[in-house]
Each structure stands twice: as C-alpha cells, then as structure tokens.
C-alpha cells in the first residue's frame, strides 16, 4: 500500500509555470516562447575553456564561496559599473544560479513572524521561499497603466504595506516579466522607506545587461544608502546564453554575506569547478563580453514586433529583459492561464500567463513571450499569432 502524502511544507504550490508550459509546448509541438531561455549557445571560446579546464583536472570541489579569481573579476566589474567596491573575499559568493542565491538570502535573513514584501507580478520563486522560512510574504502590485501597458513601483501601496515587521523587500529590475526599470530617484525613494523601517533589500538583477533604447540599468550597488542593507543577485545564465549552467552570484556587505554563506554551504556547498575556471578565464580575456547584449536583444525584440504587425495584439516595446508582453483584450476575454494553454495547442505558440506571477495584482489580459530566439523562430511564432 502507498504511504499517504506527507504534510506539505508548501501546500498551495504546484509545479512551476515554466515546467508546465514547456511540457505543454513539447506535447503539442508548439513554438516555445514560454520559459525564458536563449535558443543559442554560449560563445564557442567559453565552451572550449570548459572542456580545457576539465582536461586540466579542475574537477574537484571549488572553494565554498567560489573561485577567488572569478570573485575578483566580478568585484572589479561591479566597481567599474557602479562605483561600489565589494570585497571578493568576504562580500561575493558564487551560487548555483540566481535561484540558489535568492533561496539562501531569504533563508538567511527571515525569521518566523517577519514579513517580506514582494512586488507583483513577481518571479515565482520569491514568495514560496519566504513561506518556507516561516515568514509572511506581503504582495504589493506594481502600478499598471492600461494605456501604455507599462508598470512601475506603486510607492503609496509599498509605503502602506511596510511596517516594523518588514524585514526584507525583494525587488527585480530590470523586471521579469514587465521590463520595468528603476532610476536613481527610485533608488533614493527605496532607501528612504528601507531606512524608515530598518529593512533589508534583496535585489534580483539577472537582466542587468539587457536594457533597450538607450536606457540604463540603475544597480542597487550604485546607491550607497542601499548597498549597506542589500544583497544583489545576478547570473551568468542571461548574460552568456548559459541558463543550463546554473551559475550565479550574490554581492552583499560582509555581515550579510556571512549569513548567506552559512546557508549556501549546506545547500550546494560550492558550484561547478571547471565552469567557474572557464568563466574566470573568459571574463579576463573578453571583459567587454556584455557590451553588445542590449543591442543584440533589442534587434530580436524589434524583429518579433515587426513580424506581429497586422495582428490584433496590443503592445508597448519591452524596455528590458528578453520578454515581450502582448495584450490580448481585442481577441478574447478568457483568463490568461486558459488562453496560454489553448494557444499552445492551436495556433501552436506557448507563452506565460501573467497572473501566475501576481497574487495582489488585478487580472491582466497579458501574456509573456520570450524573444531570445532565432529570427526564423520569431517569424514562425508571429505568423501563427497573426492568424488569431
Ligand atoms: N530571477 C529572475 C527574475 C529570473 O528571470 C530568473 C530566471 N530566468 C532567475 C532569477 C533564475 O536565474 P538562474 O537561472 O540563474 O537561477
Ligand atoms: N527565469 C526563466 C523565466 O522567467 C525561467 C526559469 C525557470 O525555468 N525556472 O522564464
């Protein structure tokens, strides 16, 4: 006889939407613009370096905090782009993707009874990990302008939800799934609120290098008031077309990094040694590797949107990331979750429904499409969507 199901730590949680939609896409042979991953490989030189380092016997455990050379390079890069020095020995930790850094940060900082603010629509891992820590996620919807289809922080709502129990605010700019960005004034406003409630900030900046139309990403690291109370997370997955490598990192002042590492050492301990060696060598050889990334993805966005001309979707070109939102109000009044599955079957394009990222947010008529794809894939998807 089967054992009864154990009492769940996350009773309300099912399988992530990324797995659900990618599985549906392959079951129906759909063009998969749902889960966010590039259709292209990391640079050949980087892949060759991985093979080289494996052959050179770099195959045993890496240091717990990450390869020193890689941390030193990341420190220098962050200092050059934000003006903030992070000590490679005590303030930078290499993790198994941004996902592990986010998990460790949340587990390290939250205690039962604490509250953590999540801005909806929010990446799907934040709230469940807050719950696992015994803390309470407080969802605040981003302000949404139905005319421009743009999102921004709702400062009134954010201020209203914060209180003395607010231990952590979790932000993600450049923002998945809306492409929203913060500017230097927003960072100051955030610092005012965090100081008022003595809260910490977890800043997910994995799309830091993918920002369009001449705009710029304002890293939390560029603001001195924020840096002293922040953990800043990023990932090589997005910047080097290597989502499957699962290598990310967290930069945070020593007192915060020390707590994060206590969790990291018992979560993964350390991450892939040959890949860290390869990344370090690649970053040293090609320090400008991310310089053309924004232009590269801006072209993809523009190809996709041009190919959609004549469709009944409404859109505003994404400001950042490799996701484009399309408003389907002219096509259907169905729920986004229902439509995402229906359109995966026919006309055969898989997308991500926005509502799965949004507990606090209103019901949007928006689907998210990943344009990190070859031109032929984007044209094929757009052709199918135009038929709707
Ligand atoms: N945060 C955001 C906003 C993401 O979109 C993703 C994945 N694309 C992650 C974190 C996870 O990054 P990683 O694959 O490096 O774990
Ligand atoms: N971050 C990717 C996205 O937003 C997917 C990550 C995952 O599959 N877990 O689509």
């Amino acid at each position: 006889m089967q054992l009864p199901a154990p009492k769940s730590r996350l009773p309300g949680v099912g399988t992530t939407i990324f797995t659900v939609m990618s599985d549906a896409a392959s079951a129906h042979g759909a063009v998969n613009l749902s889960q966010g991953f590039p259709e292209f490989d990391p640079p050949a030189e980087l892949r060759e370096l991985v093979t080289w380092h494996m052959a050179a016997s770099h195959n045993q455990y890496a240091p717990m905090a990450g390869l020193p050379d890689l941390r030193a390079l990341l420190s220098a890069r962050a200092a050059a782009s934000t003006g903030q020095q992070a000590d490679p020995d005590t303030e930078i930790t290499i993790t198994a993707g941004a996902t592990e850094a986010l998990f460790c940060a949340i587990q390290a900082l939250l205690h039962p009874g604490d509250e953590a603010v999540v801005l909806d629509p929010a990446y799907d891992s934040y709230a469940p990990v807050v719950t696992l820590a015994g803390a309470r996620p407080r969802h605040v919807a981003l302000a949404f302008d139905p005319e421009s289809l743009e999102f921004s922080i709702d400062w009134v709502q954010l201020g209203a939800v914060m209180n003395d129990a607010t231990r952590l605010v979790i932000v993600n700019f450049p923002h998945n799934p809306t492409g929203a960005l913060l500017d230097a004034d927003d960072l100051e406003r955030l610092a005012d609120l965090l100081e008022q409630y003595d809260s910490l900030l977890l800043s997910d900046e994995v799309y830091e290098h993918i920002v369009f139309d001449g705009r710029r990403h304002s890293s939390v690291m560029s603001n001195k008031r924020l840096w002293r109370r922040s953990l800043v997370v990023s990932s090589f997955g997005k910047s080097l077309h290597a989502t499957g490598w699962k290598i990310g990192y967290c930069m945070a002042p020593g007192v915060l990094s020390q707590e994060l590492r206590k969790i990291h050492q018992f979560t993964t301990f350390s991450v892939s040694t040959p890949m860290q060696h390869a990344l370090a060598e690649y970053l040293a050889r090609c320090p400008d590797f991310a310089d053309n990334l924004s232009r590269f993805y801006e072209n993809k966005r523009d190809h996709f949107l041009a190919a959609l001309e004549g469709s009944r979707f409404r859109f505003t070109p994404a400001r950042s990331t490799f996701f484009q939102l399309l408003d389907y109000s002219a096509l259907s009044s169905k729920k986004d979750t229902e439509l995402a599955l229906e359109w995966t079957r026919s006309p055969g394009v898989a997308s991500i429904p926005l509502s799965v990222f949004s507990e606090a947010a209103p019901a949007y008529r928006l689907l998210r499409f990943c344009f990190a794809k070859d031109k032929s894939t984007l044209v094929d998807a757009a052709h199918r969507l135009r038929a709707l």
Side-chain angles (χ1 to χ4, degrees):
M1 215 179 54
Q2 260 198 343
L3 276 181
K7 187 174 172 199
S8 178
R9 299 286 314 279
L10 292 171
V13 170
T15 304
T16 93
I17 190 69
F18 306 117
T19 301
V20 169
M21 292 310 303
S22 275
D23 286 354
S26 61
H28 297 287
V31 184
N32 187 4
L33 305 192
S34 62
Q35 191 179 25
F37 59 88
E39 195 172 20
F40 11 85
D41 275 326
E45 188 176 344
L46 174 59
R47 285 181 282 141
E48 281 156 20
L49 282 168
V50 175
T51 318
W52 192 90
H53 281 286
M54 279 184 184
S57 283
H58 289 138
N59 296 306
Q60 309 311 327
Y61 292 128
M64 184 269 276
L67 214 66
D69 283 358
L70 183 57
R71 287 185 276 138
L73 282 154
L74 288 172
S75 170
R77 294 179 69 82
S81 65
T82 69
Q84 179 61 54
Q85 291 287 342
D87 183 333
D89 289 336
T90 56
E91 302 189 320
I92 301 182
T93 308
I94 311 293
T95 56
T99 308
E100 196 227 339
L102 293 163
F103 180 89
C104 294
I106 294 169
Q107 295 299 320
L109 300 176
L110 294 182
H111 293 257
D114 287 342
E115 294 184 1
V117 176
V118 170
L119 302 178
D120 283 357
Y123 189 61
D124 70 341
S125 82
Y126 307 153
V129 179
V130 169
T131 305
L132 269 185
R136 178 179 175 210
R138 300 292 309 268
H139 294 263
V140 177
L142 290 177
F144 174 58
D145 175 358
E147 276 312 303
S148 68
L149 302 177
E150 286 186 334
F151 291 76
S152 55
I153 291 186
D154 185 334
W155 294 103
V156 175
Q157 292 301 326
L158 178 57
V161 134
M162 288 182 71
N163 65 79
D164 292 337
T166 311
R167 184 67 184 135
L168 189 65
V169 174
I170 306 174
V171 296
N172 162 222
F173 296 96
H175 186 249
N176 174 10
T178 71
L181 294 164
L182 292 186
D183 63 22
D185 289 344
D186 293 321
L187 295 183
E188 283 299 317
R189 279 178 100 157
L190 203 50
D192 291 342
L193 277 173
L194 292 163
E195 284 173 2
Q196 184 180 343
Y197 295 103
D198 197 18
S199 310
L200 301 171
L201 183 66
L202 177 56
S203 181
D204 176 347
E205 302 187 7
V206 299
Y207 298 100
E208 61 184 327
H209 296 302
I210 312 178
V211 178
F212 306 138
D213 306 313
R215 296 186 181 90
R216 293 202 27 101
H217 162 57
S218 301
S219 173
V220 156
M221 281 185 83
S222 65
N223 182 299
K224 297 263 177 260
R225 289 167 67 203
L226 284 177
W227 165 249
R228 56 186 294 274
R229 53 180 71 245
S230 293
L231 299 99
V232 179
V233 168
S234 196
S235 171
F236 290 109
K238 319 291 155 186
S239 308
L240 284 162
H241 311 320
T243 60
W245 291 16
K246 296 298 297 186
I247 301 186
Y249 49 94
C250 179
M251 302 201 191
V255 283
L256 299 177
S257 289
Q258 194 178 6
E259 290 306 310
L260 173 113
R261 288 181 182 179
K262 288 183 189 173
I263 310 287
H264 164 71
Q265 67 187 344
F266 298 132
T267 308
T268 54
F269 180 72
S270 65
V271 307
S272 171
T273 306
M275 287 185 175
Q276 287 196 63
H277 276 282
L279 285 166
E281 203 165 328
Y282 185 75
L283 258 56
R285 284 190 199 176
C286 307
D288 53 0
F289 76 91
D291 287 2
N292 291 322
L293 204 60
S294 290
R295 177 56 55 84
F296 174 80
Y297 277 121
E298 194 177 306
N299 282 337
K300 301 239 165 252
R301 178 201 65 181
D302 292 346
H303 279 312
F304 183 48
L305 294 181
L308 276 172
E309 192 128 325
S311 83
R312 292 197 290 148
F313 289 99
R314 205 162 68 84
F315 52 79
T316 296
R319 294 178 170 205
S320 65
T321 77
F322 44 52
F323 302 115
Q324 176 65 48
L325 297 182
L326 298 182
D327 175 310
Y328 63 79
S329 0
L331 284 99
S332 173
S333 53
K334 286 189 186 164
K335 275 191 66 178
D336 59 353
T337 39
E338 210 178 310
L339 269 188
L341 283 170
E342 188 176 313
W343 287 346
T344 300
R345 289 191 291 272
S346 171
V349 182
S351 60
I352 297 288
L354 223 64
S355 61
V356 297
F357 296 133
S358 320
E359 193 164 299
Y364 308 111
R365 298 260 178 270
L366 294 168
L367 294 170
R368 189 198 82 174
F369 294 81
C370 173
F371 54 79
K373 306 293 165 192
D374 291 330
K375 195 172 171 188
S376 57
T377 305
L378 295 174
V379 168
D380 182 9
H383 177 75
R384 291 164 188 244
L385 293 171
R386 276 204 317 272
L388 282 166

